[in-house]
Amino acid sequence: MQVGVGVGGNEMGEDLLSLVSRGLAVAGASVLELWAAIPLGFALGFHPVWTGVLSAIGSMASAFIVVLVGGPLRNWMVKRWDRKRQSGKPGKMKAIWDRYGVAGLGLVSPLITGAPLGAVIGVSFGARAGRLLVWMCVGIVVWSVILTALVHYGVAEFL
């Protein structure tokens, strides 16, 4: 195997670079939103398994980052909410938290709010970091599998 780029380029190097950059694009999109990453993975030509894995990795990375900076973030959120507190009915995430705790939040938030915002909500409600990460990762894997399968079989149906 030759290393380097000739006049015509190195096909293997270009293919690897293309694969890595496409994989990073899928994982990067998933850092922001799982819903966006899965169709992107299919559009970029990834196998459904790789699409799901890359999407899950990106979402998990965002949840880990949020939980790692969770202490200062929680303090900021509490101060902000105290200033903007309004009387009214609690939001959906608060209702889920009150009824199902960290497990419910971790399972539902990757679908409803996205992993980063779900982690922010969990941290702001005072969830323990380890438990929040476990349930967030479980929810991310579950929804990655479900959404990847739905997109795969939905696209296959049209083809």
Side-chain angles (χ1 to χ4, degrees), residues 11-149:
E11 282 188 37
M12 185 172 217
E14 289 174 3
D15 289 345
L16 181 60
L17 181 61
S18 173
L19 180 67
V20 169
S21 63
R22 290 182 298 134
L24 288 174
V26 173
S30 186
V31 165
L32 300 174
E33 184 58 58
L34 186 64
W35 284 90
I38 292 171
L40 178 62
F42 283 102
L44 293 176
F46 280 107
H47 186 276
V49 172
W50 282 111
T51 297
V53 167
L54 291 168
S55 298
I57 288 171
S59 285
M60 285 181 197
S62 66
F64 274 89
I65 290 167
V66 168
V67 171
L68 287 176
V69 297
L73 183 64
R74 181 184 190 283
N75 294 338
W76 176 79
M77 292 286 290
V78 167
K79 286 178 187 175
R80 186 162 191 239
W81 282 358
D82 282 344
R83 281 185 272 152
K84 292 187 172 186
R85 190 166 301 236
Q86 300 172 354
S87 60
K89 69 178 193 174
K92 287 182 183 179
M93 287 293 114
K94 178 66 173 152
I96 290 169
W97 178 262
D98 289 343
R99 186 162 185 179
Y100 302 107
V102 71
L105 179 72
L107 291 172
V108 172
S109 66
L111 180 68
I112 294 177
T113 64
L117 185 56
V120 167
I121 292 167
V123 167
S124 70
F125 288 155
R128 288 184 296 139
R131 188 162 181 198
L132 178 61
L133 284 174
V134 166
W135 283 107
M136 290 294 296
C137 288
V138 169
I140 289 166
V141 168
V142 166
W143 287 112
S144 292
V145 168
I146 290 170
L147 293 173
T148 301

